[in-house]
Amino acid sequence: MPQQVVPIRMGITSRIFRFTVRPKRRGGPQAFSRAEDARALGLMKVRAVQRADLYFVRGSIAPKELDLLGRFLFCDPVVETFEWEDCGDAGHEGSAALGDGNRIEVALRPGVTDSVAEEIMRAAVEIGVKGIEAVSTGEIFEVEGEGLERRDLELLADRLLANPVIQRYAIGRIEPSFPFLAAGSGEMERLPVSTMSDAELEALSAGRRAALDLREMTSVRDYFRMEGRDCTDVEFETIAQTWSEHCVHKTFKALIDVDVPEGSLNPYPPRVDNILKTYIKKATDEIAAPWVLSAFVDNAGILEFDDEYEMSFKVETHNHPSAVEPFGGANTGVGGVIRDVMGVSARPIAATDVLCFGPLDVAPEDLPAGVLHPRVVFSGVVAGVQDYGNKMGIPTVNGGIHFDPGYTANPLVFCGCAGLAPRGKHRRQARAGDRVVVIGGKTGRDGIRGATFSSMVMDSTTGEVAGASVQIGAPIVEKKAAEVIVEARDRGLYTAITDCGAGGLSSAVGEMASELGCDVDIARAPLKYPGLAPWEIWLSEAQERMVLAVPPENMEAFARICELNDVGVTDLGLFTGTGRLVVRYDGVVAVDLDCRFLHDGIPQRRLVASPPQATLAPTPLPAPAPAPAPDAARALLGLLAHPAIASKETVVRLYDHEVQGATVVRPFTGILHDGPSDASVLKPRETGGSRGLVLSNGFNPKYGMADAYRMAVSAVDEAVRNAVSAGADPERIAVLDNFCWGDPKRPETMWTLLEAARGCHDAALAHRTPFVSGKDSFNNEYRARDGRRVSIPPSLLISAIGIVPDVDASPGTDLKEAGNHLYLAGDFRPVFGGSVYAELYGLPGGAPAGAPDEVPDAAAGAHAVYLAIHRAILAGWIASCHDLSEGGLAVAVAEMCLGGRLGARLRIEGDRARTSTLLFGETNGCLVLEVKSGRDADFLKAMEGLPLRLIGGTADSGRLELSSGDAAASVPVEDIVAAFRGASAGAAQ
């Protein structure tokens, strides 16, 4: 391998060395995929974009040790080559841009955490390389194409290859930047809040991006007038984070005046006090499931798994950060929700993700100013999810990918994590005298004001001013912290624990000390870079940190566990019992707040809910009119290739769903493992017997644009029926809600929120499935430079976790054997409103069928069907089972054929004028079941009195035969496979 060998005398000169690592084989899918993305930006001359890794190492290092770095740390010699060169002494860091052909080099901006570089420093010590002072990393992109100009390369770098929030680039060579030894500045500012006018209060909130309204700012002013003093900047920022929408959920807890014109349909009282208590928690309280061990009080919901173990589940959103920095936003979204599970003393065992993007083929000139292209967001988010879960060794087992123009400026990134722990081991109550201990990564400038940033509407300047709000992840650090927590839990070394997420130490320590109070000194916190002011240290959301309450007598043992696992540990102070939050910087008081004011002093928000004009009357049922569509065969193949249905394999295969060895039902099923599963089933390795857990979700924002109430009912039903299809017991399923909405100050937005919350309540009662946790994300809007505001569609994700009594009985969605009968179970009422068929063929939108007062009864009827199906699955009568969702009945059966590579005959009787509706309309509460030969009589008896119809059977013909009314079609299974798999997640979607 070519390299430059230079004589170095150790200890004399510190020099900078540049390593370039290239794949041995040029080209490949990624190089041409990048070129495809470039052409989508209008750069039609780009033929391929080759990528190489770039590393800079500063220090006094011998040539043989440089070779060690190259061979053992920087490259895989089987598929890669490396070369290094001497760039000079440390006083001349690299070369200026040389214009090396069509080369773009990208590196992190100074001050941005380089987690790869940190791991290189650690690993170099392990392989015996000495003299390294600092490391930084980057990327090289070599652009192939004729006639490319510098402006083409700059456009490519600006819009595709570099994110200006955290990265810089050069055409040619880039100069490295290295971190410096870090110490805080200690500078604090005093704000005369107590004497400010209303206008000055509003200006202060806006200037510091506090996202506090005038009533909230007035409460702050009143408090400091009572205290008789000014407010420090650290105190003000603490209040802003603690009172943020992200942390305190003030919209869900608001007092809402319902304004509905007289004579209009109105299911609400004149005033609704606290949506969370009135609808979501109320459903959980009314169901009162004894197997719910903790709901809405911990970092994650906790449920009984069996007599020995408990399982936990949490789903978070990381939307605003992912819009600004897609990789870092999604990466730390995954890391944050994993920490939520660690925060209930559990071992993380599985991750889920549901991702929403704008259309990937949108023209660059149609994007609002300051908005990243959906292709850039898509690739960055997918890579971020892949990076964190894979590196931590947590399988990503379930999720979805959705596309809508409403997500162009506001992508949604839902990240979930499930955990397992011995029952009764989680400790929740700190005691006076316990030490306030933080473990994990160092504190940096990344993630500052993240909680308030996520509580604001984005605009064209967001990426410029909120870059520091995006955290940078280090999954290996979190992996080691997780090992510390499990061992410390089992040895009983701590009395309380929480993750250091939104708001950083201000929220983590503040919440743990909300009753006791504490006294901490943040000058002790280890820093990543110099010059951080006390408020920055206190608010930083730098990742991979957990806060624990450790009794003094356990500190030595706890610190020893951290040392053995190479995890940083810092004693910040103690819980005092005074009820005051006291924060010092090197002994100087920076915060001295009454905990009751901090956590209970926020005034209740007052909002108005009023229906849009279009929803003042009940939504009429869709008319049973013939659909202007092609023949059934072409319609089926068109639906299978649609981004909402087509295989997501090109994305899912990037995620490890096998690690830990617990995954029983994987994202794909069937004889070639390419058919879509309805849910994931896991059998944790610690547990005995055949019991497992299921993870599933329900999501259809297109319903939300027409009827938010029925969208919520539909999402709950879909999550539950997906779980039942995989073998879950319908009486042991819990759900989580994630509301992503626009600006709640808009009355019409609040109306849809009320409707969705009411739908959650009604559906939960109908299915007897309690809510155990949730999260909301508001202000998912974008304000363009012309003042126009664009909101996402009302988007409700329902995630389900439940018990599978026998994982071996889980039937899967793939057809098993020719000659079996196919049945359709459930109240089959397909419509085109909100369906993929309607989108594909330009039909009017709408919502699932049924008048509003019929919806809860329909859900209750579906629950009875699910109970009977579950008994049939446990009895061993069901060979395969698949729910009806996007694409309707024909698509569901086609996917079953695909998984089993078997043919089938499908005949559905009904009104001939509604043939397309029967085949491709969508409905709730329905599943297709393949019943094993000879078990039909048993199955029919078990389903007696419930909606059920025989719709056909399996065949070894290699074709799906469709017939309904006078329409008939015959589609080869190989064509079904080609349509489903031919549209890649990155291209067709």
Side-chain angles (χ1 to χ4, degrees):
M1 59 192 71
Q3 54 186 252
Q4 295 182 4
V5 179
V6 295
I8 294 180
R9 288 187 298 162
M10 298 297 293
I12 301 299
T13 305
S14 179
R15 307 180 72 83
I16 294 175
F17 303 93
R18 173 189 168 104
F19 286 77
T20 303
V21 179
R22 289 187 172 87
K24 289 182 178 179
R25 181 179 177 182
R26 291 179 66 82
Q30 290 187 333
F32 297 109
S33 176
R34 292 187 201 100
E36 186 178 342
D37 291 344
R39 290 191 289 273
L41 298 177
L43 299 174
M44 308 308 295
K45 298 176 183 178
V46 176
R47 186 173 63 251
V49 181
Q50 311 287 346
R51 182 190 175 281
D53 289 314
L54 181 62
Y55 302 94
F56 293 100
V57 180
R58 188 182 68 197
S60 301
I61 313 167
K64 65 178 182 179
E65 292 179 321
L66 293 170
D67 289 341
L68 278 177
L69 287 175
R71 287 202 309 272
F72 291 102
L73 287 187
F74 296 154
C75 90
D76 179 349
V78 176
V79 295
E80 294 175 316
T81 63
F82 78 92
E83 58 185 14
W84 61 264
E85 59 184 284
D86 180 12
C87 294
D89 62 47
H92 300 83
E93 297 189 352
S95 306
L98 303 177
D100 298 3
N102 294 337
R103 174 188 290 182
I104 300 169
E105 294 192 353
V106 179
L108 294 172
R109 289 186 178 277
V112 174
T113 302
D114 192 335
S115 55
V116 175
E118 292 175 354
E119 285 302 306
I120 290 171
M121 294 282 288
R122 179 195 59 78
V125 174
E126 293 187 1
I127 66 173
V129 176
K130 301 178 181 179
I132 295 181
E133 299 170 0
V135 176
S136 68
T137 66
E139 300 170 283
I140 299 173
F141 296 97
E142 295 168 334
V143 186
E144 298 178 3
E146 300 296 329
L148 289 168
E149 301 179 8
R150 185 181 181 91
R151 63 184 179 185
D152 296 326
L153 299 179
E154 290 174 346
L155 176 62
L156 186 61
D158 283 330
R159 302 301 294 269
L160 187 66
L161 301 179
N163 187 326
V165 173
I166 63 166
Q167 293 175 314
R168 56 199 172 89
Y169 73 87
I171 308 301
R173 291 197 169 197
I174 198 166
E175 295 186 6
S177 66
F178 298 100
F180 300 92
L181 293 176
S185 70
E187 296 179 0
M188 284 184 282
E189 183 181 354
R190 296 201 172 271
L191 309 173
V193 171
S194 62
T195 60
M196 285 184 174
S197 66
D198 289 355
E200 289 171 327
L201 290 175
E202 291 180 313
L204 176 63
S205 177
R208 299 191 77 98
R209 300 184 70 82
L212 298 178
D213 63 24
L214 181 57
R215 289 183 70 236
E216 292 160 348
M217 289 296 295
T218 300
S219 295
V220 175
R221 180 176 62 192
D222 292 344
Y223 174 79
F224 283 99
R225 282 179 177 174
M226 182 184 67
E227 291 272 303
R229 62 181 177 88
D230 289 339
C231 169
T232 70
D233 57 351
V234 192
E235 288 174 320
F236 181 78
E237 297 286 354
T238 300
I239 295 167
Q241 300 302 302
T242 305
W243 290 8
S244 68
E245 181 74 75
H246 185 90
C247 290
V248 80
H249 314 292
K250 50 195 175 187
T251 294
F252 263 84
K253 297 176 181 178
L255 187 64
I256 302 163
D257 292 313
V258 181
D259 181 14
V260 178
E262 187 175 351
S264 302
L265 180 66
N266 179 17
Y268 304 104
R271 183 168 288 171
V272 175
D273 187 356
N274 195 314
I275 292 176
L276 192 61
K277 288 184 179 179
T278 303
Y279 295 108
I280 309 299
K281 286 185 176 180
K282 183 180 179 182
T284 300
D285 294 340
E286 291 179 3
I287 295 169
W291 40 269
V292 174
L293 305 180
S294 175
F296 298 105
V297 296
D298 272 304
N299 290 46
I302 305 176
L303 312 166
E304 176 186 280
F305 179 80
D306 58 19
D307 292 339
E308 296 183 64
Y309 291 94
E310 60 191 32
M311 56 187 185
S312 50
F313 196 28
K314 182 63 176 289
V315 182
E316 286 271 11
T317 58
H318 232 221
N319 305 335
H320 283 39
S322 299
V324 173
E325 206 296 278
F327 179 90
N331 193 248
T332 54
V334 175
V337 78
I338 291 171
R339 287 198 313 276
D340 280 326
V341 166
M342 291 161 56
V344 292
S345 304
R347 178 177 70 84
I349 62 171
T352 69
D353 62 272
V354 174
L355 314 175
C356 303
F357 307 101
L360 300 187
D361 57 356
V362 63
E365 59 270 20
D366 293 337
L367 291 174
V371 170
L372 297 175
H373 195 282
R375 282 181 173 269
V376 176
V377 178
F378 176 90
S379 59
V381 165
V382 169
V385 172
Q386 171 197 13
D387 178 82
Y388 217 102
N390 288 5
K391 286 181 178 177
M392 273 204 73
I394 298 173
T396 300
V397 297
N398 181 253
I401 301 176
H402 303 267
F403 295 86
D404 188 272
Y407 301 129
T408 298
N410 287 274
L412 303 185
V413 176
F414 300 92
C415 305
C417 185
L420 194 78
R423 291 188 63 170
K425 289 284 189 177
H426 176 46
R427 298 165 185 84
R428 299 180 172 89
Q429 190 60 56
R431 301 173 301 191
D434 287 348
R435 306 304 299 180
V436 180
V437 177
V438 60
I439 69 169
K442 295 180 180 180
T443 299
R445 190 166 275 116
D446 43 322
I448 291 176
R449 291 190 180 131
T452 52
F453 162 58
S454 296
S455 304
M456 301 173 73
V457 172
M458 295 195 297
D459 58 29
S460 59
T461 66
T462 296
E464 300 169 15
V465 301
S469 297
V470 180
Q471 309 100 317
I472 309 300
I476 302 303
V477 174
E478 188 158 309
K479 171 65 175 174
K480 292 185 289 188
E483 299 298 326
V484 168
I485 290 169
V486 168
E487 184 173 351
R489 174 202 70 194
D490 291 344
R491 292 175 60 180
L493 297 181
Y494 59 83
T495 58
I497 182 173
T498 192
D499 79 307
C500 199
L505 292 171
S506 73
S507 292
V509 176
E511 289 173 7
M512 288 183 71
S514 61
E515 295 183 6
L516 288 173
C518 68
D519 193 325
V520 297
D521 195 323
I522 54 176
R524 303 173 186 172
L527 306 182
K528 296 177 183 178
Y529 7 88
L532 270 69
W535 75 266
E536 292 177 306
I537 299 171
W538 185 231
L539 264 65
S540 168
E541 295 176 17
Q543 295 287 288
E544 293 77 45
R545 297 177 302 160
M546 303 291 294
V547 176
L548 302 95
V550 180
E553 63 271 19
N554 295 342
M555 278 298 299
E556 183 177 351
F558 183 80
R560 178 61 177 161
I561 294 174
C562 293
E563 180 184 1
L564 292 175
N565 285 276
D566 189 29
V567 171
V569 56
T570 304
D571 183 346
L572 292 179
L574 79 161
F575 294 96
T576 58
T578 65
R580 293 193 72 87
L581 176 69
V582 178
V583 181
R584 306 174 191 273
Y585 185 87
D586 199 19
V588 178
V589 173
V591 175
D592 186 359
L593 294 173
D594 185 324
C595 291
R596 287 174 297 179
F597 164 74
L598 182 61
H599 295 283
D600 301 322
I602 180 173
Q604 186 178 24
R605 177 160 284 189
R606 296 288 297 270
L607 296 168
V608 175
S610 182
Q613 191 67 33
T615 63
L616 292 181
T619 304
L621 297 178
D631 62 77
R634 287 199 297 130
L636 175 62
L637 296 178
L639 286 168
L640 288 166
H642 189 279
I645 297 172
S647 177
K648 312 301 187 294
E649 188 171 359
T650 55
V651 171
V652 176
R653 294 298 184 197
L654 298 174
Y655 308 146
D656 190 335
H657 47 264
E658 301 282 356
V659 65
Q660 297 192 21
T663 314
V664 177
V665 176
R666 298 158 180 80
F668 294 108
T669 189
I671 58 175
L672 295 181
H673 305 289
D674 59 356
S677 295
D678 283 334
S680 177
V681 176
L682 298 103
K683 172 67 176 68
R685 64 174 186 263
E686 298 98 319
T687 62
S690 59
R691 176 172 294 205
L693 64 91
V694 67
L695 299 174
S696 64
N697 57 65
F699 186 74
N700 195 331
K702 294 190 184 304
Y703 292 170
M705 289 184 276
D707 189 319
Y709 174 82
R710 283 180 275 192
M711 174 191 68
V713 173
S714 177
V716 173
D717 183 85
E718 183 181 13
V720 170
R721 73 175 183 266
N722 276 330
V724 170
S725 174
D729 181 350
E731 296 186 323
R732 288 293 303 273
I733 296 173
V735 290
L736 290 75
D737 62 89
N738 285 94
F739 289 81
C740 288
W741 249 248
D743 184 354
K745 295 186 181 69
R746 294 186 178 191
E748 62 271 23
T749 300
M750 277 306 305
W751 176 265
T752 61
L753 183 66
L754 269 179
E755 287 283 84
R758 183 170 65 93
C760 284
H761 171 269
D762 293 351
L765 292 182
H767 287 289
R768 309 304 298 169
T769 178
F771 286 93
V772 295
S773 184
K775 193 69 175 179
D776 53 77
S777 172
F778 291 104
N779 299 297
N780 289 284
E781 297 191 358
Y782 186 87
R783 185 184 294 108
R785 286 178 176 167
D786 62 4
R788 184 172 53 94
R789 292 176 67 164
V790 179
S791 174
I792 65 167
S795 302
L796 171 66
L797 173 67
I798 297 293
S799 301
I801 182 170
I803 294 294
V804 178
D806 183 0
V807 297
D808 296 325
S810 183
T813 63
D814 54 310
L815 297 180
K816 301 298 192 301
E817 186 178 0
N820 291 337
H821 286 139
L822 294 176
Y823 292 87
L824 173 61
D827 186 9
F828 184 57
R829 294 194 288 174
V831 296
F832 283 142
S835 69
V836 178
Y837 189 95
E839 179 184 352
L840 188 61
Y841 296 112
L843 302 182
D853 57 353
E854 296 175 344
V855 175
D857 291 338
H863 185 64
V865 171
Y866 300 160
L867 287 169
I869 289 174
H870 177 63
R871 289 191 290 268
I873 289 173
L874 286 183
W877 305 333
I878 308 303
S880 65
C881 181
H882 193 19
D883 86 309
L884 268 63
S885 56
E886 290 91 347
L889 176 60
V891 166
V893 177
E895 290 174 338
M896 297 173 79
C897 293
L898 182 156
R901 292 303 195 274
L902 272 178
R905 301 179 308 278
L906 169 61
R907 179 165 184 81
I908 188 76
E909 300 293 345
D911 185 347
R912 292 187 177 185
R914 301 187 70 225
T915 292
S916 296
T917 309
L918 294 171
L919 290 175
F920 306 116
E922 297 176 15
T923 185
N924 291 318
C926 294
L927 301 100
V928 176
L929 300 107
E930 176 192 5
V931 177
K932 295 179 181 179
S933 179
R935 291 297 187 180
D936 292 75
D938 296 325
F939 175 69
L940 290 171
K941 184 177 181 180
M943 298 293 293
E944 190 173 355
L946 298 171
L948 181 74
R949 64 174 80 184
L950 177 66
I951 59 171
T954 59
D956 56 8
S957 62
R959 309 181 74 85
L960 172 58
E961 310 284 347
L962 299 173
S963 62
S964 177
D966 56 358
S970 178
V971 186
V973 172
E974 61 186 18
D975 289 356
I976 290 172
V977 174
F980 182 71
R981 301 191 64 186
S984 71
Q989 295 173 341

